[in-house]
Amino acid sequence: MGEVIELHTSSSKSSRTKGAGDVNKDASFEAKRGTRAAVGLIGLAVMGENLARNIERNGFSCAVYNRTTERTSNFVKQYPNNKFIYTDSLESFVEAVERPRKIIIMVKAGAPVDQILTQIMPLLDKGDILIDGGNAHYEDTIRRESECRSKGVFFLGVGISGGEEGALNGASIMPGGEQKAWEEVSPLFSSIAASVVGEPCTAYMGPDGAGHFVKMVHNGIEYGDMQLIAEVYDILHRGLNQTPSQLSDIFSRWNEGVLESFLIEITAKIFSCRDDRSDGYLIDKILDAAEQKGTGKWTVISALDLGVSVPTIAAAVDARVLSSLKKERVHASEVLSCDSLNNCGTDESALISTNLISTNEVHDALYAAKILSYAQGLYLLQVASETRKWELNLGTIAKIWRGGCIIRARFLDEISSAFDETLKIPNLLLAPSMRAEVLRTIGSLRKVVAYGAAAGIPVPALAASLAYFDSYRTARLPQNLTQAQRDFFGAHTFARIDASGLFHMQW
């Protein structure tokens, strides 16, 4: 597909050291430059490597740079017949990309991104485009976009979902920033994104931090989805005594219907995996302590800041935190055993032996909870869009989540259609198709939550989903008492249902 071109400068100071647009080319570099790349990529960890390979495979020559030049050299040598351009400094890297430059940054979110920006900005021309493809916090993206724009450089905050496999073979790509810059890189994104029925899983999200906010909420929904599946596993395994082999069969069947999704598919495969170090199944040997990188927590914090309820996602974050207390939980399991207390409720063994729920009911409970979880995340996007003036298109977002990303699922077609048809619905649950599905399955969710509570099997995300449904559909909640209490101890006032204005009572 073309030769590998090595680019380097004779001195680290030989390229531009002034502001954007001030070019001082090194003569020896100019002679060795050869053909410039269509795209540049900084950061060759696994995600960066795979994205570079995806870009090149789809016909775009790619200049690559990594802080450790050995990694860059090894990567390029590994693919000697591909259109990669090796560079050993940011100066040579910038000169290796055709103008207006399209440069993708794939480094760890946070300070490393700011460090790259500090180093590369003096080397760029006005009109160049920087693309942050990491899991940046959207407020950092808003700040960076503003700073770059003030210097004549475009900055796109781009959410990329799909993990290592998606980066290599097609991800869901959620770009935010100046629309003019997105139009310039749209052909690239469309080429490297996943595709569903011929439609690329990428679309313009909105200005400044919109893309990274959408990706953050995607990850929050992912947290909730994973926790719901974990709780269902616990119900089936501990409650209904299903073995890993049986669980694999159950999830494989579920993946052929309305629950069809990437997470259900891989869950079936996980349960079927035998342990390669001892007898039995690997799932039974994995420590029950889940880690997190922070995007779920960011989603919950952002929701609280915007006054949006996302209880399923919050329960999923809490569950991961509690899971990390392994030693404490082991001790508590001994001293808080129902065998040693009189107030644990129903005897667990007696309850389980009666088989009060079926796998079909567990299936429907999971489906109802998933719809409720997605409804929470999409409502958060809607409120953020109105607050930030982003004009997010929820139908389009659901559509590009159908392929490449971690939460891709069959019912995203129905969600996309629901928003396209009704457009201004305040909540997904009010769309006729989704309302019908929730009302059809909510009884199973109620029964499974009750079963978990009686059996002592924790189902925080399932219960939170049910509580969200019941709260949202309740015309009069008990928070009238809460507001009365606030007025009693703090004179915070209250509104009345039979008069306008605010009131205070001398209680």
Side-chain angles (χ1 to χ4, degrees):
M1 296 181 67
E3 64 174 335
V4 175
I5 305 168
E6 292 195 8
L7 297 177
H8 54 85
T9 56
S10 57
S11 168
S12 62
K13 299 180 180 180
S14 60
S15 280
R16 292 177 286 178
T17 57
K18 303 294 183 182
D22 181 14
V23 183
N24 178 23
K25 301 185 183 71
D26 179 273
S28 63
F29 172 79
E30 181 74 11
K32 298 174 183 177
R33 184 180 64 207
T35 305
R36 284 192 170 100
V39 183
L41 187 141
I42 299 172
L44 291 172
V46 176
M47 282 288 288
E49 282 193 7
N50 284 358
L51 194 63
R53 292 171 60 194
N54 186 355
I55 290 168
E56 192 276 338
R57 187 181 65 250
N58 280 283
F60 299 87
S61 55
C62 185
V64 290
Y65 170 76
N66 197 77
R67 184 172 54 85
T68 53
T69 55
E70 183 181 4
R71 180 182 285 273
T72 313
S73 178
N74 290 340
F75 172 72
V76 171
K77 288 176 181 176
Q78 189 176 355
Y79 305 101
N81 297 319
N82 296 58
K83 293 183 292 186
F84 293 121
I85 297 178
Y86 166 87
T87 65
D88 63 1
S89 68
L90 276 177
E91 290 86 354
S92 62
F93 169 79
V94 167
E95 287 299 326
V97 185
E98 65 184 28
R99 300 179 181 87
R101 299 177 178 89
K102 304 173 187 68
I103 295 174
I104 302 174
I105 302 170
M106 295 296 292
V107 301
K108 186 177 180 181
V113 177
D114 288 320
Q115 291 168 5
I116 289 291
L117 292 181
T118 298
Q119 295 166 9
I120 202 171
M121 283 299 294
L123 309 176
L124 300 178
D125 291 317
K126 291 183 178 180
D128 286 345
I129 303 169
L130 292 175
I131 301 163
D132 180 8
N135 270 337
H137 193 281
Y138 76 97
E139 289 184 340
D140 287 338
T141 300
I142 292 172
R143 169 179 56 80
R144 291 165 184 150
E145 194 274 338
S146 177
E147 292 172 354
C148 289
R149 180 161 29 89
S150 70
K151 299 176 182 178
V153 173
F154 293 110
F155 185 90
L156 295 176
V158 179
I160 300 176
S161 178
E164 300 171 13
E165 176 67 20
L168 180 61
N169 294 316
S172 179
I173 302 176
M174 298 154 258
E178 191 73 37
Q179 187 164 359
K180 179 180 178 181
W182 168 76
E183 291 171 354
E184 187 73 27
V185 300
S186 179
L188 168 66
F189 289 163
S190 295
S191 297
I192 65 175
S195 179
V196 175
V197 294
E199 296 179 319
C201 294
T202 183
Y204 178 64
M205 296 290 98
D208 50 68
H212 274 145
F213 190 92
V214 172
K215 175 55 164 53
M216 177 193 74
V217 174
H218 164 284
N219 284 22
I221 294 173
E222 176 187 313
Y223 270 59
D225 215 346
M226 293 172 70
Q227 179 61 25
L228 291 170
I229 293 171
E231 292 173 18
V232 163
Y233 152 61
D234 207 14
I235 289 283
L236 292 172
H237 180 52
R238 285 204 289 154
L240 302 186
N241 297 312
Q242 300 295 298
T243 66
S245 177
Q246 291 171 320
L247 288 167
S248 180
D249 290 341
I250 289 170
F251 276 82
S252 293
R253 290 196 305 273
W254 287 0
N255 198 49
E256 296 173 356
V258 294
L259 286 177
E260 179 188 346
S261 64
F262 173 71
L263 286 172
I264 295 294
E265 176 188 348
I266 67 169
T267 301
K269 293 178 179 178
I270 288 169
F271 287 136
S272 69
C273 184
R274 306 283 303 194
D275 187 7
D276 60 354
R277 300 182 63 176
S278 62
D279 294 334
Y281 289 86
L282 181 57
I283 187 65
D284 294 328
K285 309 295 172 59
I286 297 175
L287 181 68
D288 55 323
E291 299 178 353
Q292 54 184 316
K293 290 187 176 180
T295 47
K297 180 179 70 174
W298 292 350
T299 305
V300 175
I301 293 172
S302 297
L304 291 172
D305 288 341
L306 290 168
V308 175
S309 176
V310 289
T312 305
I313 299 170
V317 174
D318 286 342
R320 294 198 190 191
V321 173
L322 275 167
S323 77
S324 68
L325 305 176
K326 178 63 176 179
K327 290 183 179 179
E328 293 180 43
R329 289 190 292 109
V330 170
H331 175 66
S333 71
E334 298 169 353
V335 300
L336 298 178
S337 170
C338 285
D339 293 337
S340 61
L341 298 174
N342 296 320
N343 60 347
C344 278
T346 305
D347 177 74
E348 184 176 344
S349 60
L351 175 70
I352 292 174
S353 67
T354 62
N355 271 333
L356 293 178
I357 56 172
S358 67
T359 56
N360 287 337
E361 288 172 322
V362 177
H363 168 280
D364 285 354
L366 177 58
Y367 185 44
K370 282 167 69 74
I371 293 174
L372 290 159
S373 180
Y374 277 70
Q376 295 164 37
L378 289 164
Y379 185 67
L380 173 57
L381 289 176
Q382 186 166 299
V383 173
S385 178
E386 294 169 355
T387 303
R388 295 278 184 178
K389 311 299 182 186
W390 282 336
E391 298 185 0
L392 298 177
N393 187 314
L394 300 188
T396 297
I397 291 170
K399 188 174 290 186
I400 69 169
W401 283 350
R402 293 178 303 165
C405 70
I406 303 302
I407 65 171
R408 60 185 183 266
R410 177 191 290 190
F411 80 143
L412 280 164
D413 277 318
E414 284 73 33
I415 291 176
S416 179
S417 297
F419 281 107
D420 286 343
E421 291 169 4
T422 54
L423 295 178
K424 293 298 183 180
I425 55 170
N427 192 297
L428 177 65
L429 300 181
L430 301 180
S433 58
M434 293 291 98
R435 181 179 71 232
E437 287 298 274
V438 171
L439 292 177
R440 180 181 66 82
T441 54
I442 198 68
S444 293
L445 178 57
R446 198 176 301 283
K447 191 171 182 179
V448 169
V449 169
Y451 177 89
I457 298 175
V459 288
L462 289 167
S465 300
L466 178 61
Y468 180 79
F469 172 80
D470 283 335
S471 294
Y472 190 69
R473 72 183 186 90
T474 298
R476 183 167 173 80
L477 290 167
Q479 274 64 51
N480 55 324
L481 175 58
T482 304
Q483 194 62 23
Q485 292 169 331
R486 295 182 73 245
D487 185 62
F488 191 110
F489 63 69
H492 293 294
T493 72
F494 54 87
R496 294 182 60 95
I497 61 175
D498 57 357
S500 60
L502 295 176
F503 299 86
H504 168 61
M505 180 65 177
Q506 296 295 332
W507 301 90

